[in-house]
């Protein structure tokens, strides 16, 4: 017809945020599953996606606001990684390379400090099996249930993952309860690379009620040394690498809990363990605070996301300071405009 149709300017990050909204995710699942035995995505479905496109300055403000949350979250994650690396390095320096405080004057026998020992796990800690459950007993929401520590609460390689938490309503034994500081280990794994099984995590503050461990998890309670040392020992000594190789199964890997106690573990003297815990405990306290901040930032961002994308929450009159992650984008746009 000879009429020039100018396409609206698009900020790619705005599209990215739109695709993350729950409304869009629900629409995609409904369309993909319609008339099919298995949900699938194809080019025809992609063409049906209807994206709301406000003016570019509104898009930029929305992206700027949401990116500020993402930047804070990523910054906290980097700080957590740094703190964890520091704790691991101290552990390895003391208990792998044996350069603990006073090591120069210590006596060694057969490669170990004379006051240290090696013992079987059964003599050092108790392994408590988790609770079997039915799908009707667990939920994604509290609904009067208790926090349910399950396989999704483990990061690959170890450590706690808060957004995998479920809630349990059912009967359980007192021994299957966990609270802040308890050490848990995954004994099931869906990843064939064995990235979760045999890995330890430290339970954070779960609220006013204790949590419950699922059948895919065990609680490891030491008889004499602090739980924090148990956690560091399981995370950084290399024992998880040995344990994961003991798991078996075709599609789902399983580690028999009894095998955890059959392994040999290093037993440092009590003063060294206590000094280590005193040194690294502030690291883990800071890690827990940063993880709580991440959870709050994620929650707030997820509450804002659909309202911003839909336009229900207006940003037109807001003076938004663009975060550092957007500065390069603005520079690129300026250079493009100048060209």
């Amino acid at each position: 017809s000879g009429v020039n149709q100018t396409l609206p300017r698009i900020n790619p990050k705005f599209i990215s945020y739109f695709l993350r909204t729950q409304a869009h995710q629900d629409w995609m699942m409904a369309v993909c599953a319609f008339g099919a035995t298995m949900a699938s995505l194809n080019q025809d479905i992609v063409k049906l996606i209807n994206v709301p496109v406000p003016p570019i300055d509104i898009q930029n403000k929305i992206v700027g606001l949401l990116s500020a949350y993402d930047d804070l979250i990523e910054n906290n994650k980097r700080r957590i990684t740094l703190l964890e690396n520091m704790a691991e390095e101290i552990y390895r320096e003391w208990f792998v390379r044996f350069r603990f405080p006073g090591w120069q004057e210590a006596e060694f026998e057969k490669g170990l400090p004379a006051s240290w020992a090696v013992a079987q796990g059964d003599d050092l800690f108790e392994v408590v099996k988790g609770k079997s459950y039915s799908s009707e007993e667990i939920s994604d929401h509290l609904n009067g249930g208790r926090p349910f520590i399950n396989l999704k609460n483990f990061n690959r390689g170890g450590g706690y993952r808060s957004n995998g938490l479920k809630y349990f309503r059912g009967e359980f034994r007192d021994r299957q309860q966990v609270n802040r500081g308890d050490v848990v280990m995954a004994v099931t794994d869906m990843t064939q690379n064995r990235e979760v099984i045999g890995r330890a995590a430290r339970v954070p503050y779960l609220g006013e009620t204790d949590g419950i461990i699922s059948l895919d998890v065990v609680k490891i309670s030491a008889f004499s040394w602090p739980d924090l040392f148990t956690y560091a020992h399981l995370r950084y000594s290399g024992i998880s690498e040995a344990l994961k190789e003991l798991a078996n199964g075709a599609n789902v890997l399983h580690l028999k809990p009894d095998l955890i106690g059959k392994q040999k573990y290093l037993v440092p003297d009590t003063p060294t363990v206590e000094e280590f815990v005193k040194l690294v405990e502030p690291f883990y306290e800071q890690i827990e605070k940063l993880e709580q901040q991440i959870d709050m930032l994620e929650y707030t961002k997820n509450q804002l996301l659909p309202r911003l994308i839909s336009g229900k929450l207006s940003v037109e009159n807001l003076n938004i300071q663009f975060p550092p992650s957007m500065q390069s984008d603005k520079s690129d746009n300026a250079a493009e405009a100048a060209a």
Side-chain angles (χ1 to χ4, degrees):
S1 61
V3 177
N4 290 326
Q5 293 183 340
T6 303
L7 293 175
R9 294 176 62 193
I10 301 290
N11 184 325
K13 288 186 177 179
F14 177 83
I15 302 298
S16 174
Y17 282 120
F18 164 75
L19 295 175
R20 297 184 218 176
T21 60
Q22 190 61 50
H24 173 72
Q25 295 291 325
D26 292 343
W27 178 86
M28 288 291 289
M29 288 301 299
V31 173
C32 290
F34 181 74
T37 55
M38 181 178 295
S40 61
L41 180 65
N42 57 47
Q43 189 175 3
D44 291 335
I45 292 176
V46 172
K47 290 179 180 179
L48 294 175
I49 298 175
N50 186 19
V51 182
V53 183
I56 189 64
D57 60 323
I58 300 298
Q59 293 180 49
N60 289 339
K61 285 187 176 184
I62 291 172
V63 170
L65 187 56
L66 294 172
S67 293
Y69 281 92
D70 283 336
D71 286 359
L72 288 170
I73 290 167
E74 288 305 313
N75 183 54
N76 278 5
K77 287 180 178 179
R78 285 192 292 269
R79 293 171 65 188
I80 287 172
T81 299
L82 178 61
L83 290 165
E84 287 181 336
N85 289 344
M86 290 170 61
E88 180 176 3
E89 180 58 26
I90 293 171
Y91 177 90
R92 292 187 179 281
E93 183 73 0
W94 288 27
F95 305 110
V96 177
R97 295 187 283 267
F98 301 133
R99 294 179 180 176
F100 50 89
W103 69 274
Q104 297 93 334
E105 293 79 31
E107 294 184 13
F108 283 74
E109 295 178 1
K110 297 181 180 179
L112 287 180
S115 59
W116 297 18
V118 174
Q120 188 166 296
D122 287 332
D123 297 325
L124 302 173
F125 48 72
E126 178 186 24
V127 179
V128 179
K129 298 179 182 179
K131 177 74 177 68
S132 61
Y133 60 93
S134 64
S135 58
E136 292 78 16
E137 292 177 315
I138 60 172
S139 169
D140 291 330
H141 308 288
L142 186 57
N143 293 334
R146 289 174 175 263
F148 196 50
I149 306 297
N150 61 91
L151 200 57
K152 292 184 178 181
N153 287 118
F154 291 82
N155 287 316
R156 297 190 177 203
Y160 185 81
R161 180 170 172 257
S162 62
N163 58 5
L165 192 64
K166 302 287 185 179
Y167 296 91
F168 174 78
R169 298 181 66 181
E171 300 295 326
F172 57 87
R173 297 179 181 178
D174 289 344
R175 297 169 68 248
Q176 294 168 328
Q177 297 182 94
V178 291
N179 51 41
R180 183 175 183 261
D182 283 341
V183 180
V184 291
M185 178 180 286
V187 291
T188 304
D189 200 340
M190 303 290 186
T191 71
Q192 290 304 304
N193 292 329
R194 302 171 186 258
E195 295 175 298
V196 173
I197 202 159
R199 270 37 177 229
R202 190 167 180 256
V203 178
Y205 175 69
L206 297 172
E208 296 184 3
T209 59
D210 292 340
I212 311 297
I213 52 173
S214 80
L215 190 62
D216 300 315
V217 178
V218 295
K219 177 173 67 173
I220 299 178
S221 301
F223 299 134
S224 58
W225 61 40
D227 288 327
L228 183 55
F229 182 74
T230 302
Y231 173 68
H233 203 20
L234 295 173
R235 278 296 306 272
Y236 309 134
S237 68
I239 188 64
S240 62
E241 295 299 314
L243 288 171
K244 76 177 187 180
E245 297 302 328
L246 300 176
N248 55 55
N251 298 318
V252 179
L253 294 169
H254 296 282
L255 173 65
K256 293 181 180 179
D258 293 347
L259 294 177
I260 301 170
K262 303 304 179 187
Q263 308 308 305
K264 297 293 185 180
Y265 297 83
L266 181 67
V267 185
D269 61 63
T270 299
T272 304
V273 169
E274 291 178 345
E275 192 169 351
F276 170 79
V277 169
K278 184 179 179 180
L279 180 60
V280 302
E281 192 166 29
F283 297 175
Y284 288 106
E285 290 177 351
Q286 184 64 23
I287 286 171
E288 187 170 338
K289 290 178 181 177
L290 291 169
E291 288 175 337
Q292 289 171 352
Q293 290 177 18
I294 289 174
D295 289 343
M296 183 57 67
L297 289 166
E298 290 276 13
Y299 174 80
T300 305
K301 186 189 75 172
N302 290 336
Q303 293 296 306
L304 289 173
L305 178 60
R307 296 178 61 81
L308 289 169
I309 296 296
S310 67
K312 291 181 179 179
L313 182 60
S314 175
V315 297
E316 185 174 0
N317 298 320
L318 293 181
N319 182 18
I320 295 176
Q321 181 71 37
F322 291 107
S325 63
M326 288 188 67
Q327 298 304 319
S328 59
D329 294 340
K330 290 179 67 181
S331 299
D332 293 342
N333 290 339
E336 182 181 341

